[in-house]
Amino acid sequence: KQEVTQIPAALSVPEGENLVLNCSFTDSAIYNLQWFRQDPGKGLTSLLLIQSSQREQTSGRLNASLDKSSGRSTLYIAASQPGDSATYLCAVRDGAQKLVFGQGTRLTINP
Amino acid sequence: DTEVTQTPKHLVMGMTNKKSLKCEQHMGHRAMYWYKQKAKKPPELMFVYSYEKLSINESVPSRFSPECPNSSLLNLHLHALQPEDSALYLCASSQEGGGGSTDTQYFGPGTRLTVL
């Protein structure tokens, strides 16, 4: 059974810092890996999707990497801003239609 | 347009009530999903519809009854719920009904359900 773990559970950093969020998964047989952002009480916003054949994806200040063989992904956020404060969820597509989520990292950017 | 809409935003119901949640997308997606999310937990998959047919039921109690009237619309009918069913219910959709490595799921804002 696929298990997804995110470390750390919570992170607080000053504005302007670069930071890395970590995600690991136990079964490397994945279709893709998706990073989401969730603001309190809201739905999920898709940030980046990395296909199983890809190593990284970039969107603006965000860069996500995937090392399928070791079961790891990282989300790099450059020059963090208070508006980046949210919970970040990693999810792997394990099988045809199922997403398996990690517990999330709650990020706080302090002005 | 990458929007998934959900109504209502909030719903309060008693344990004997019958209510429905509605989800709509106009992106031409062929797969639609219901998730349940408790506070400070990740979303948990409940149902998947692929090409308007139920393809996955994650052993959800029968008091939750999904329906897909057409490719753009997904309903979740609720009956005789319990207080522990209170949660944020999220709908999502994706392009490929059969899955695939490029298939991104797009989520709606959710319905906050409270069962008294």
Side-chain angles (χ1 to χ4, degrees), chain A residues 6 36-45 86-91 99-106, chain B residues 6 9 21 33-47 60 64 76 78 83-92 107-115:
Chain A
Q6 290 187 246
F36 293 90
R37 168 192 173 132
Q38 187 173 31
D39 293 291
K42 306 291 187 184
L44 278 66
T45 300
T87 294
Y88 289 80
L89 291 157
C90 162
L99 277 183
V100 179
F101 285 86
Q103 296 290 318
T105 293
R106 192 169 63 257
Chain B
Q6 290 186 244
K9 284 190 170 62
L21 310 184
Y33 312 76
W34 280 115
Y35 290 84
K36 173 182 176 179
Q37 187 178 26
K38 302 284 277 185
K40 298 190 188 303
K41 296 291 186 184
E44 296 177 354
L45 182 66
M46 299 175 72
F47 302 104
V60 179
F64 295 90
L76 186 63
L78 314 172
E84 58 265 29
D85 296 322
S86 298
L88 181 67
Y89 287 83
L90 295 164
C91 173
F107 282 76
T111 293
R112 173 72 60 191
L113 174 67
T114 303
V115 182

XYZ file of all heavy atoms in Angstrom, chain A residues 6 36-45 86-91 99-106, chain B residues 6 9 21 33-47 60 64 76 78 83-92 107-115:
529
model
N 5.253 13.680 4.449
C 5.780 15.025 4.217
C 6.473 15.522 5.483
O 5.934 15.430 6.575
C 4.655 15.982 3.820
C 4.110 15.698 2.440
C 3.131 16.762 1.998
O 1.941 16.488 1.827
N 3.607 17.980 1.811
N 0.116 20.512 -4.303
C -1.048 21.373 -4.169
C -0.794 22.370 -3.045
O -0.037 22.118 -2.112
C -2.301 20.574 -3.788
C -2.796 19.625 -4.829
C -2.342 18.314 -4.862
C -3.722 20.033 -5.771
C -2.815 17.422 -5.821
C -4.209 19.144 -6.717
C -3.749 17.841 -6.748
N -1.538 23.447 -3.118
C -1.586 24.422 -2.040
C -3.018 24.486 -1.548
O -3.964 24.442 -2.345
C -1.157 25.781 -2.587
C -1.429 26.938 -1.671
C -1.263 28.262 -2.340
N -1.712 29.304 -1.427
C -1.034 30.402 -1.167
N 0.120 30.649 -1.787
N -1.497 31.304 -0.320
N -3.192 24.577 -0.215
C -4.529 24.722 0.347
C -4.520 25.818 1.401
O -3.776 25.751 2.383
C -5.029 23.411 0.961
C -6.488 23.501 1.408
C -7.053 22.155 1.860
O -6.339 21.315 2.376
N -8.352 21.960 1.649
N -5.353 26.833 1.191
C -5.560 27.871 2.187
C -6.634 27.396 3.168
O -7.483 26.566 2.813
C -5.956 29.184 1.518
C -4.814 29.749 0.683
O -3.813 30.167 1.286
O -4.922 29.722 -0.553
N -6.621 27.888 4.414
C -7.543 27.387 5.444
C -9.009 27.393 4.995
O -9.517 28.420 4.533
C -7.316 28.352 6.615
C -5.920 28.823 6.435
C -5.704 28.921 4.963
N -9.655 26.254 5.107
C -11.071 26.139 4.774
C -11.392 26.194 3.292
O -12.563 26.268 2.915
N -10.374 26.145 2.442
C -10.584 26.273 0.997
C -10.239 24.966 0.288
O -9.753 24.015 0.881
C -9.687 27.397 0.436
C -9.850 28.731 1.124
C -11.188 29.362 0.837
C -11.255 30.767 1.406
N -12.586 31.381 1.217
N -10.488 24.971 -1.020
C -10.131 23.826 -1.839
C -8.643 23.792 -2.148
O -7.874 24.613 -1.658
N -8.253 22.830 -2.965
C -6.847 22.653 -3.317
C -6.552 23.327 -4.644
O -7.327 23.209 -5.595
C -6.516 21.164 -3.447
C -6.215 20.398 -2.168
C -7.420 20.314 -1.268
C -5.707 19.003 -2.503
N -5.400 23.991 -4.698
C -4.928 24.591 -5.940
C -3.721 23.803 -6.418
O -2.746 23.652 -5.673
C -4.535 26.065 -5.721
O -5.671 26.788 -5.256
C -4.025 26.678 -7.011
N 0.429 28.859 3.655
C -0.651 27.920 3.329
C -0.182 26.530 3.737
O 0.941 26.351 4.202
C -0.971 27.941 1.835
N -1.046 25.545 3.532
C -0.626 24.157 3.683
C -0.304 23.604 2.302
O -1.076 23.797 1.353
C -1.725 23.315 4.348
O -1.914 23.776 5.690
C -1.331 21.836 4.396
N 0.840 22.951 2.181
C 1.282 22.390 0.914
C 1.167 20.868 0.990
O 1.705 20.230 1.901
C 2.717 22.825 0.618
C 2.783 24.292 0.268
C 2.754 25.263 1.267
C 2.830 24.722 -1.055
C 2.775 26.612 0.966
C 2.851 26.072 -1.372
C 2.821 27.002 -0.355
O 2.832 28.338 -0.662
N 0.444 20.319 0.026
C 0.183 18.882 -0.008
C 0.852 18.253 -1.220
O 0.787 18.789 -2.331
C -1.325 18.628 -0.082
C -2.131 18.977 1.169
C -3.587 19.216 0.833
C -2.020 17.867 2.196
N 1.472 17.138 -0.982
C 2.065 16.328 -2.036
C 1.145 15.128 -2.252
O 0.612 14.569 -1.286
C 3.445 15.894 -1.563
S 4.175 14.507 -2.410
N 0.940 14.733 -3.506
C 0.085 13.572 -3.786
C 0.662 12.799 -4.963
O 1.102 13.396 -5.949
C -1.340 14.025 -4.108
N -5.379 9.371 -6.204
C -4.328 10.195 -5.634
C -4.150 9.803 -4.171
O -5.130 9.712 -3.441
C -4.702 11.681 -5.700
C -4.462 12.453 -6.987
C -4.831 13.907 -6.797
C -3.025 12.321 -7.458
N -2.903 9.589 -3.769
C -2.600 9.314 -2.364
C -1.864 10.532 -1.826
O -0.801 10.902 -2.344
C -1.733 8.048 -2.205
C -1.423 7.806 -0.731
C -2.435 6.841 -2.816
N -2.429 11.153 -0.801
C -1.906 12.404 -0.272
C -1.000 12.186 0.928
O -1.195 11.257 1.722
C -3.058 13.311 0.179
C -3.809 13.975 -0.940
C -4.863 13.324 -1.566
C -3.463 15.248 -1.363
C -5.563 13.940 -2.599
C -4.156 15.873 -2.389
C -5.201 15.209 -3.011
N -0.025 13.086 1.075
C 0.696 13.202 2.326
C -0.119 14.025 3.305
O -1.177 14.563 2.969
N 0.378 14.147 4.527
C -0.330 14.874 5.586
C -0.205 16.383 5.443
O -0.914 17.130 6.106
C 0.198 14.450 6.959
C -0.063 12.995 7.293
C -1.528 12.706 7.552
O -2.218 13.468 8.213
N -2.014 11.610 7.010
N 0.723 16.820 4.599
C 0.859 18.251 4.366
C 1.923 18.908 5.228
O 2.279 18.407 6.298
N 2.429 20.030 4.728
C 3.328 20.899 5.491
C 2.649 22.247 5.623
O 2.305 22.862 4.608
C 4.688 21.072 4.796
O 5.381 19.826 4.797
C 5.526 22.125 5.513
N 2.468 22.688 6.868
C 1.841 23.992 7.118
C 2.930 25.047 7.136
O 3.772 25.061 8.027
C 1.065 23.957 8.425
C 0.151 25.125 8.648
C -0.785 24.926 9.830
N -0.077 24.789 11.092
C 0.126 23.643 11.727
N -0.329 22.489 11.233
N 0.769 23.599 12.873
N -18.719 24.282 -6.765
C -19.459 23.431 -5.827
C -20.498 24.261 -5.106
O -20.229 25.395 -4.693
C -18.525 22.797 -4.791
C -17.599 21.750 -5.359
C -16.806 21.043 -4.272
O -15.582 21.135 -4.223
N -17.515 20.332 -3.386
N -21.877 26.321 -0.455
C -20.576 26.509 0.208
C -20.608 25.918 1.614
O -19.629 25.363 2.094
C -20.243 27.992 0.301
C -19.785 28.625 -0.991
C -19.240 30.022 -0.752
C -18.541 30.614 -1.977
N -19.413 30.765 -3.122
N -25.196 17.559 -2.406
C -24.116 18.440 -2.801
C -23.988 18.363 -4.318
O -24.168 17.296 -4.912
C -22.798 18.013 -2.150
C -22.789 17.779 -0.645
C -21.367 17.469 -0.175
C -23.374 18.953 0.103
N -14.493 13.319 -9.214
C -14.133 12.682 -7.951
C -14.831 13.373 -6.778
O -15.010 14.592 -6.787
C -12.622 12.807 -7.711
C -11.738 12.430 -8.873
C -11.567 13.277 -9.959
C -11.034 11.231 -8.861
C -10.734 12.937 -11.010
C -10.187 10.883 -9.902
C -10.044 11.745 -10.980
O -9.217 11.393 -12.021
N -15.144 12.606 -5.750
C -15.538 13.153 -4.449
C -14.493 12.755 -3.418
O -14.086 11.575 -3.336
C -16.895 12.620 -3.988
C -18.080 13.281 -4.598
C -19.002 12.715 -5.423
C -18.494 14.649 -4.425
N -19.959 13.636 -5.776
C -19.676 14.826 -5.181
C -17.992 15.741 -3.708
C -20.353 16.043 -5.250
C -18.669 16.942 -3.790
C -19.825 17.089 -4.542
N -14.064 13.771 -2.635
C -13.156 13.562 -1.521
C -13.805 14.093 -0.246
O -14.566 15.054 -0.281
C -11.839 14.329 -1.719
C -10.928 13.821 -2.792
C -11.094 14.199 -4.125
C -9.859 12.992 -2.483
C -10.238 13.750 -5.107
C -8.982 12.539 -3.464
C -9.180 12.922 -4.768
O -8.314 12.475 -5.740
N -13.394 13.517 0.881
C -13.802 14.007 2.190
C -12.534 14.444 2.926
O -11.524 13.724 2.904
C -14.484 12.883 2.982
C -14.814 13.213 4.421
C -15.434 12.011 5.109
C -15.699 12.264 6.582
N -16.319 11.082 7.243
N -12.600 15.633 3.547
C -11.434 16.122 4.268
C -11.833 16.579 5.665
O -12.603 17.527 5.818
C -10.750 17.265 3.512
C -9.441 17.697 4.146
C -8.728 18.784 3.377
O -9.339 19.563 2.656
N -7.414 18.854 3.517
N -11.278 15.933 6.666
C -11.459 16.352 8.053
C -10.377 17.389 8.380
O -9.344 17.481 7.706
C -11.345 15.150 8.989
C -12.331 14.032 8.704
C -13.719 14.336 9.182
C -13.895 14.035 10.657
N -15.314 14.232 11.071
N -10.642 18.133 9.456
C -9.740 19.225 9.832
C -8.314 18.723 10.051
O -8.090 17.706 10.708
C -10.252 19.906 11.093
N -7.378 19.434 9.463
C -5.940 19.173 9.599
C -5.532 17.801 9.086
O -4.502 17.248 9.491
C -5.493 19.345 11.055
C -5.698 20.755 11.596
C -5.026 20.943 12.924
C -5.372 22.261 13.568
N -5.050 23.424 12.736
N -6.337 17.238 8.204
C -6.012 15.957 7.573
C -6.011 16.141 6.053
O -6.628 17.069 5.535
C -7.062 14.901 7.951
C -7.102 14.565 9.418
C -5.877 13.830 9.849
C -5.986 13.358 11.284
N -4.732 12.711 11.749
N -5.352 15.251 5.315
C -5.413 15.345 3.859
C -6.750 14.827 3.338
O -7.463 14.122 4.044
C -4.267 14.425 3.409
C -4.116 13.443 4.514
C -4.454 14.173 5.772
N -7.080 15.162 2.099
C -8.324 14.640 1.514
C -8.271 13.119 1.384
O -7.223 12.535 1.109
C -8.364 15.290 0.123
C -7.461 16.462 0.220
C -6.399 16.086 1.200
N -9.438 12.497 1.566
C -9.571 11.045 1.390
C -10.545 10.787 0.245
O -11.664 11.311 0.245
C -10.111 10.398 2.661
C -9.208 10.510 3.870
C -9.848 9.911 5.110
O -11.032 9.505 5.047
O -9.178 9.851 6.153
N -10.127 9.975 -0.687
C -10.967 9.663 -1.840
C -12.208 8.890 -1.409
O -12.131 7.959 -0.607
C -10.168 8.848 -2.854
C -10.883 8.480 -4.148
C -11.177 9.733 -4.980
C -10.049 7.485 -4.950
N -13.375 9.293 -1.970
C -14.619 8.572 -1.706
C -15.065 7.820 -2.965
O -15.271 6.619 -2.944
C -15.719 9.540 -1.290
C -15.422 10.324 -0.030
S -16.700 11.548 0.295
C -18.075 10.518 0.812
N -15.259 8.565 -4.049
C -15.796 7.990 -5.296
C -15.066 8.578 -6.494
O -14.606 9.714 -6.461
C -17.287 8.331 -5.460
C -18.180 7.878 -4.342
C -18.660 8.799 -3.417
C -18.563 6.555 -4.227
C -19.502 8.405 -2.387
C -19.399 6.146 -3.206
C -19.860 7.067 -2.287
N -17.371 3.393 0.869
C -18.072 4.487 1.543
C -19.442 3.992 2.019
O -20.120 3.272 1.295
C -18.247 5.674 0.569
C -19.002 6.819 1.228
C -16.887 6.151 0.070
N -24.068 7.831 1.876
C -23.552 8.710 0.837
C -23.845 8.035 -0.509
O -23.392 6.912 -0.755
C -22.043 8.906 0.960
C -21.623 9.616 2.206
C -21.327 8.902 3.360
C -21.526 10.999 2.240
C -20.934 9.546 4.518
C -21.134 11.662 3.381
C -20.839 10.941 4.525
N -23.717 14.473 -4.862
C -23.539 13.561 -3.736
C -24.772 13.699 -2.855
O -24.999 14.743 -2.247
C -22.268 13.897 -2.946
C -21.904 12.925 -1.823
C -21.607 11.535 -2.383
C -20.690 13.432 -1.039
N -27.062 12.846 0.334
C -26.766 12.568 1.730
C -28.050 12.202 2.470
O -29.069 12.893 2.329
C -26.146 13.810 2.388
C -25.035 14.511 1.609
C -24.657 15.829 2.276
C -23.830 13.593 1.466
N -22.945 12.749 13.054
C -22.103 13.931 13.342
C -20.658 13.755 12.886
O -20.030 14.731 12.454
C -22.204 14.057 14.863
C -23.543 13.505 15.199
C -23.745 12.354 14.235
N -20.145 12.532 12.911
C -18.753 12.317 12.482
C -18.567 12.480 10.975
O -17.422 12.479 10.475
C -18.244 10.935 12.914
C -19.049 9.768 12.393
C -20.081 9.298 13.382
O -20.572 10.107 14.201
O -20.407 8.086 13.343
N -19.663 12.628 10.238
C -19.580 12.892 8.808
C -19.335 14.368 8.513
O -19.127 14.757 7.350
C -20.857 12.450 8.090
C -21.082 10.945 8.184
O -20.084 10.198 8.105
O -22.244 10.527 8.356
N -19.355 15.191 9.543
C -19.062 16.617 9.362
C -17.637 16.766 8.843
O -16.691 16.211 9.417
C -19.208 17.365 10.687
O -20.536 17.275 11.166
N -17.483 17.503 7.745
C -16.175 17.625 7.086
C -16.304 18.599 5.919
O -17.382 19.093 5.622
C -15.692 16.265 6.575
N -15.188 18.830 5.258
C -15.171 19.568 3.990
C -15.242 18.529 2.869
O -14.420 17.615 2.825
C -13.888 20.398 3.867
C -13.717 21.250 2.617
C -14.738 22.389 2.593
C -12.294 21.802 2.531
N -16.226 18.646 1.989
C -16.377 17.708 0.883
C -15.896 18.407 -0.389
O -16.429 19.436 -0.792
C -17.819 17.219 0.770
C -18.127 16.257 1.898
C -18.504 16.740 3.150
C -17.972 14.890 1.729
C -18.742 15.870 4.212
C -18.203 14.013 2.785
C -18.580 14.512 4.018
O -18.799 13.641 5.065
N -14.897 17.799 -0.991
C -14.252 18.369 -2.164
C -14.586 17.561 -3.402
O -14.583 16.336 -3.376
C -12.729 18.380 -1.972
C -12.189 19.279 -0.860
C -10.756 18.900 -0.531
C -12.273 20.737 -1.264
N -14.838 18.279 -4.459
C -15.043 17.659 -5.757
C -13.826 17.982 -6.619
O -13.213 19.053 -6.467
C -16.309 18.227 -6.398
S -16.611 17.715 -8.092
N -13.460 17.077 -7.496
C -12.354 17.320 -8.420
C -12.695 16.726 -9.768
O -13.577 15.864 -9.889
C -11.056 16.711 -7.886
N -9.456 20.908 -8.353
C -10.380 20.825 -7.226
C -11.291 22.038 -7.154
O -10.899 23.163 -7.484
C -9.600 20.715 -5.920
C -9.052 19.345 -5.649
C -7.930 18.879 -6.316
C -9.666 18.510 -4.734
C -7.433 17.608 -6.082
C -9.181 17.245 -4.483
C -8.059 16.787 -5.157
N -12.507 21.789 -6.663
C -13.425 22.866 -6.344
C -13.137 23.415 -4.958
O -12.280 22.884 -4.240
N -13.874 24.459 -4.552
C -13.631 25.093 -3.250
C -14.165 24.297 -2.067
O -13.805 24.572 -0.921
C -14.355 26.433 -3.372
C -15.426 26.173 -4.376
C -14.876 25.190 -5.337
N -15.027 23.320 -2.352
C -15.525 22.486 -1.264
C -16.852 22.948 -0.702
O -17.264 24.107 -0.868
N -17.545 22.025 -0.056
C -18.745 22.307 0.733
C -18.440 21.928 2.174
O -18.057 20.790 2.456
C -19.958 21.490 0.245
O -20.335 21.929 -1.058
C -21.141 21.654 1.198
N -18.606 22.906 3.062
C -18.389 22.645 4.496
C -19.684 22.084 5.070
O -20.686 22.803 5.133
C -18.015 23.938 5.206
C -17.921 23.828 6.724
C -16.699 23.061 7.173
N -15.471 23.689 6.739
C -14.278 23.096 6.827
N -14.174 21.876 7.326
N -13.193 23.717 6.412
N -19.683 20.816 5.445
C -20.883 20.144 5.941
C -20.807 19.972 7.450
O -19.802 19.487 7.976
C -21.022 18.764 5.286
C -22.158 17.886 5.819
C -23.513 18.502 5.470
C -22.061 16.471 5.258
N -21.874 20.371 8.120
C -22.013 20.158 9.550
C -23.266 19.334 9.813
O -24.354 19.717 9.352
C -22.117 21.486 10.321
O -20.961 22.285 10.039
C -22.193 21.250 11.817
N -23.103 18.209 10.496
C -24.244 17.345 10.830
C -24.517 17.454 12.333
O -23.625 17.200 13.159
C -23.948 15.872 10.470
C -25.168 15.012 10.789
C -23.567 15.749 9.003
